[in-house]
Amino acid sequence: MALDFRLFNGRLNGTVETYYMSTTDVLVNRELPTITGYKRVYANLGEIRNKGFELSLSSTN
């Protein structure tokens, strides 16, 4: 979601942005015991959530 704005007859311009992103099914490399005969295996263990806020301002003096 974003909002662009201009104030004071265009002397101050800016953008306000927010974001949210959820990522699932992240593959993680897991070590296995040597008795199995394999060194490692990829497992579907990860989940990441990113959220944030961004503000950009510019002015004409």
PDB file of all heavy atoms in Angstrom, residues 14-32:
ATOM      1  N   GLY A  14       6.543  13.536  -1.351  1.00  0.00           N
ATOM      2  CA  GLY A  14       6.916  12.335  -0.623  1.00  0.00           C
ATOM      3  C   GLY A  14       6.050  11.139  -0.945  1.00  0.00           C
ATOM      4  O   GLY A  14       5.036  11.236  -1.633  1.00  0.00           O
ATOM      5  N   THR A  15       6.487  10.009  -0.421  1.00  0.00           N
ATOM      6  CA  THR A  15       5.788   8.740  -0.562  1.00  0.00           C
ATOM      7  C   THR A  15       5.854   8.007   0.765  1.00  0.00           C
ATOM      8  O   THR A  15       6.908   7.967   1.397  1.00  0.00           O
ATOM      9  CB  THR A  15       6.451   7.863  -1.644  1.00  0.00           C
ATOM     10  OG1 THR A  15       6.468   8.572  -2.867  1.00  0.00           O
ATOM     11  CG2 THR A  15       5.711   6.570  -1.838  1.00  0.00           C
ATOM     12  N   VAL A  16       4.732   7.443   1.171  1.00  0.00           N
ATOM     13  CA  VAL A  16       4.666   6.599   2.354  1.00  0.00           C
ATOM     14  C   VAL A  16       4.225   5.216   1.881  1.00  0.00           C
ATOM     15  O   VAL A  16       3.227   5.095   1.180  1.00  0.00           O
ATOM     16  CB  VAL A  16       3.656   7.145   3.392  1.00  0.00           C
ATOM     17  CG1 VAL A  16       3.571   6.232   4.590  1.00  0.00           C
ATOM     18  CG2 VAL A  16       4.025   8.556   3.803  1.00  0.00           C
ATOM     19  N   GLU A  17       5.004   4.183   2.227  1.00  0.00           N
ATOM     20  CA  GLU A  17       4.697   2.825   1.792  1.00  0.00           C
ATOM     21  C   GLU A  17       4.755   1.865   2.973  1.00  0.00           C
ATOM     22  O   GLU A  17       5.595   2.019   3.853  1.00  0.00           O
ATOM     23  CB  GLU A  17       5.701   2.346   0.746  1.00  0.00           C
ATOM     24  CG  GLU A  17       5.690   3.152  -0.522  1.00  0.00           C
ATOM     25  CD  GLU A  17       6.705   2.641  -1.517  1.00  0.00           C
ATOM     26  OE1 GLU A  17       6.538   1.499  -1.982  1.00  0.00           O
ATOM     27  OE2 GLU A  17       7.652   3.377  -1.807  1.00  0.00           O
ATOM     28  N   THR A  18       3.848   0.890   2.980  1.00  0.00           N
ATOM     29  CA  THR A  18       3.900  -0.201   3.941  1.00  0.00           C
ATOM     30  C   THR A  18       3.862  -1.515   3.167  1.00  0.00           C
ATOM     31  O   THR A  18       3.341  -1.571   2.057  1.00  0.00           O
ATOM     32  CB  THR A  18       2.715  -0.165   4.928  1.00  0.00           C
ATOM     33  OG1 THR A  18       1.499  -0.297   4.199  1.00  0.00           O
ATOM     34  CG2 THR A  18       2.695   1.126   5.719  1.00  0.00           C
ATOM     35  N   TYR A  19       4.451  -2.544   3.749  1.00  0.00           N
ATOM     36  CA  TYR A  19       4.431  -3.833   3.080  1.00  0.00           C
ATOM     37  C   TYR A  19       4.377  -4.962   4.105  1.00  0.00           C
ATOM     38  O   TYR A  19       4.776  -4.818   5.243  1.00  0.00           O
ATOM     39  CB  TYR A  19       5.639  -4.006   2.156  1.00  0.00           C
ATOM     40  CG  TYR A  19       6.972  -3.948   2.852  1.00  0.00           C
ATOM     41  CD1 TYR A  19       7.571  -5.092   3.345  1.00  0.00           C
ATOM     42  CD2 TYR A  19       7.646  -2.742   3.007  1.00  0.00           C
ATOM     43  CE1 TYR A  19       8.791  -5.044   3.977  1.00  0.00           C
ATOM     44  CE2 TYR A  19       8.859  -2.680   3.640  1.00  0.00           C
ATOM     45  CZ  TYR A  19       9.435  -3.838   4.121  1.00  0.00           C
ATOM     46  OH  TYR A  19      10.645  -3.784   4.756  1.00  0.00           O
ATOM     47  N   TYR A  20       3.835  -6.092   3.661  1.00  0.00           N
ATOM     48  CA  TYR A  20       3.778  -7.315   4.446  1.00  0.00           C
ATOM     49  C   TYR A  20       3.911  -8.487   3.488  1.00  0.00           C
ATOM     50  O   TYR A  20       3.210  -8.547   2.483  1.00  0.00           O
ATOM     51  CB  TYR A  20       2.452  -7.421   5.209  1.00  0.00           C
ATOM     52  CG  TYR A  20       2.319  -8.723   5.966  1.00  0.00           C
ATOM     53  CD1 TYR A  20       2.898  -8.868   7.211  1.00  0.00           C
ATOM     54  CD2 TYR A  20       1.649  -9.802   5.427  1.00  0.00           C
ATOM     55  CE1 TYR A  20       2.813 -10.061   7.903  1.00  0.00           C
ATOM     56  CE2 TYR A  20       1.554 -10.999   6.103  1.00  0.00           C
ATOM     57  CZ  TYR A  20       2.135 -11.123   7.346  1.00  0.00           C
ATOM     58  OH  TYR A  20       2.050 -12.301   8.032  1.00  0.00           O
ATOM     59  N   MET A  21       4.836  -9.389   3.782  1.00  0.00           N
ATOM     60  CA  MET A  21       5.050 -10.535   2.910  1.00  0.00           C
ATOM     61  C   MET A  21       5.315 -11.769   3.759  1.00  0.00           C
ATOM     62  O   MET A  21       6.118 -11.721   4.686  1.00  0.00           O
ATOM     63  CB  MET A  21       6.235 -10.287   1.993  1.00  0.00           C
ATOM     64  CG  MET A  21       6.476 -11.363   0.988  1.00  0.00           C
ATOM     65  SD  MET A  21       7.752 -10.829  -0.154  1.00  0.00           S
ATOM     66  CE  MET A  21       8.479 -12.381  -0.558  1.00  0.00           C
ATOM     67  N   SER A  22       4.638 -12.841   3.469  1.00  0.00           N
ATOM     68  CA  SER A  22       4.826 -14.099   4.177  1.00  0.00           C
ATOM     69  C   SER A  22       5.318 -15.153   3.188  1.00  0.00           C
ATOM     70  O   SER A  22       4.698 -15.371   2.156  1.00  0.00           O
ATOM     71  CB  SER A  22       3.514 -14.553   4.810  1.00  0.00           C
ATOM     72  OG  SER A  22       3.695 -15.770   5.489  1.00  0.00           O
ATOM     73  N   THR A  23       6.461 -15.779   3.498  1.00  0.00           N
ATOM     74  CA  THR A  23       7.040 -16.813   2.647  1.00  0.00           C
ATOM     75  C   THR A  23       7.057 -18.117   3.427  1.00  0.00           C
ATOM     76  O   THR A  23       7.538 -18.169   4.544  1.00  0.00           O
ATOM     77  CB  THR A  23       8.476 -16.426   2.241  1.00  0.00           C
ATOM     78  OG1 THR A  23       8.453 -15.162   1.605  1.00  0.00           O
ATOM     79  CG2 THR A  23       9.071 -17.447   1.302  1.00  0.00           C
ATOM     80  N   THR A  24       6.519 -19.163   2.823  1.00  0.00           N
ATOM     81  CA  THR A  24       6.519 -20.478   3.465  1.00  0.00           C
ATOM     82  C   THR A  24       7.270 -21.473   2.588  1.00  0.00           C
ATOM     83  O   THR A  24       7.660 -21.149   1.469  1.00  0.00           O
ATOM     84  CB  THR A  24       5.086 -20.982   3.698  1.00  0.00           C
ATOM     85  OG1 THR A  24       4.411 -21.033   2.449  1.00  0.00           O
ATOM     86  CG2 THR A  24       4.324 -20.075   4.648  1.00  0.00           C
ATOM     87  N   ASP A  25       7.448 -22.660   3.091  1.00  0.00           N
ATOM     88  CA  ASP A  25       8.124 -23.742   2.366  1.00  0.00           C
ATOM     89  C   ASP A  25       9.561 -23.398   2.015  1.00  0.00           C
ATOM     90  O   ASP A  25      10.024 -23.635   0.903  1.00  0.00           O
ATOM     91  CB  ASP A  25       7.355 -24.115   1.091  1.00  0.00           C
ATOM     92  CG  ASP A  25       5.939 -24.549   1.380  1.00  0.00           C
ATOM     93  OD1 ASP A  25       5.717 -25.101   2.474  1.00  0.00           O
ATOM     94  OD2 ASP A  25       5.058 -24.343   0.541  1.00  0.00           O
ATOM     95  N   VAL A  26      10.295 -22.849   2.973  1.00  0.00           N
ATOM     96  CA  VAL A  26      11.710 -22.528   2.787  1.00  0.00           C
ATOM     97  C   VAL A  26      12.521 -23.788   3.071  1.00  0.00           C
ATOM     98  O   VAL A  26      12.383 -24.410   4.119  1.00  0.00           O
ATOM     99  CB  VAL A  26      12.139 -21.390   3.732  1.00  0.00           C
ATOM    100  CG1 VAL A  26      13.614 -21.093   3.573  1.00  0.00           C
ATOM    101  CG2 VAL A  26      11.317 -20.137   3.458  1.00  0.00           C
ATOM    102  N   LEU A  27      13.361 -24.184   2.131  1.00  0.00           N
ATOM    103  CA  LEU A  27      14.174 -25.379   2.300  1.00  0.00           C
ATOM    104  C   LEU A  27      15.378 -25.092   3.195  1.00  0.00           C
ATOM    105  O   LEU A  27      16.093 -24.119   2.999  1.00  0.00           O
ATOM    106  CB  LEU A  27      14.652 -25.903   0.950  1.00  0.00           C
ATOM    107  CG  LEU A  27      13.565 -26.428   0.023  1.00  0.00           C
ATOM    108  CD1 LEU A  27      14.177 -26.848  -1.307  1.00  0.00           C
ATOM    109  CD2 LEU A  27      12.829 -27.591   0.662  1.00  0.00           C
ATOM    110  N   VAL A  28      15.592 -25.979   4.180  1.00  0.00           N
ATOM    111  CA  VAL A  28      16.689 -25.853   5.120  1.00  0.00           C
ATOM    112  C   VAL A  28      17.550 -27.109   5.006  1.00  0.00           C
ATOM    113  O   VAL A  28      17.034 -28.228   4.972  1.00  0.00           O
ATOM    114  CB  VAL A  28      16.154 -25.700   6.564  1.00  0.00           C
ATOM    115  CG1 VAL A  28      17.292 -25.641   7.555  1.00  0.00           C
ATOM    116  CG2 VAL A  28      15.274 -24.472   6.673  1.00  0.00           C
ATOM    117  N   ASN A  29      18.866 -26.936   4.956  1.00  0.00           N
ATOM    118  CA  ASN A  29      19.797 -28.045   4.852  1.00  0.00           C
ATOM    119  C   ASN A  29      20.045 -28.614   6.251  1.00  0.00           C
ATOM    120  O   ASN A  29      20.568 -27.929   7.121  1.00  0.00           O
ATOM    121  CB  ASN A  29      21.104 -27.554   4.233  1.00  0.00           C
ATOM    122  CG  ASN A  29      21.969 -28.672   3.761  1.00  0.00           C
ATOM    123  OD1 ASN A  29      21.613 -29.836   3.843  1.00  0.00           O
ATOM    124  ND2 ASN A  29      23.140 -28.314   3.265  1.00  0.00           N
ATOM    125  N   ARG A  30      19.675 -29.884   6.480  1.00  0.00           N
ATOM    126  CA  ARG A  30      19.834 -30.517   7.791  1.00  0.00           C
ATOM    127  C   ARG A  30      20.879 -31.627   7.718  1.00  0.00           C
ATOM    128  O   ARG A  30      20.878 -32.429   6.798  1.00  0.00           O
ATOM    129  CB  ARG A  30      18.505 -31.117   8.251  1.00  0.00           C
ATOM    130  CG  ARG A  30      17.456 -30.063   8.479  1.00  0.00           C
ATOM    131  CD  ARG A  30      16.200 -30.642   9.025  1.00  0.00           C
ATOM    132  NE  ARG A  30      16.453 -31.211  10.346  1.00  0.00           N
ATOM    133  CZ  ARG A  30      15.609 -32.028  10.964  1.00  0.00           C
ATOM    134  NH1 ARG A  30      14.477 -32.373  10.399  1.00  0.00           N
ATOM    135  NH2 ARG A  30      15.892 -32.498  12.149  1.00  0.00           N
ATOM    136  N   GLU A  31      21.740 -31.665   8.720  1.00  0.00           N
ATOM    137  CA  GLU A  31      22.743 -32.726   8.829  1.00  0.00           C
ATOM    138  C   GLU A  31      22.081 -33.992   9.358  1.00  0.00           C
ATOM    139  O   GLU A  31      21.197 -33.937  10.200  1.00  0.00           O
ATOM    140  CB  GLU A  31      23.859 -32.287   9.785  1.00  0.00           C
ATOM    141  CG  GLU A  31      24.619 -31.056   9.327  1.00  0.00           C
ATOM    142  CD  GLU A  31      25.572 -31.349   8.185  1.00  0.00           C
ATOM    143  OE1 GLU A  31      26.106 -32.466   8.123  1.00  0.00           O
ATOM    144  OE2 GLU A  31      25.766 -30.444   7.353  1.00  0.00           O
ATOM    145  N   LEU A  32      22.516 -35.145   8.867  1.00  0.00           N
ATOM    146  CA  LEU A  32      21.997 -36.432   9.310  1.00  0.00           C
ATOM    147  C   LEU A  32      23.098 -37.221  10.009  1.00  0.00           C
ATOM    148  O   LEU A  32      24.285 -37.014   9.739  1.00  0.00           O
ATOM    149  CB  LEU A  32      21.489 -37.235   8.114  1.00  0.00           C
ATOM    150  CG  LEU A  32      20.267 -36.700   7.397  1.00  0.00           C
ATOM    151  CD1 LEU A  32      19.960 -37.566   6.187  1.00  0.00           C
ATOM    152  CD2 LEU A  32      19.075 -36.657   8.325  1.00  0.00           C
TER     153      LEU A  32
END
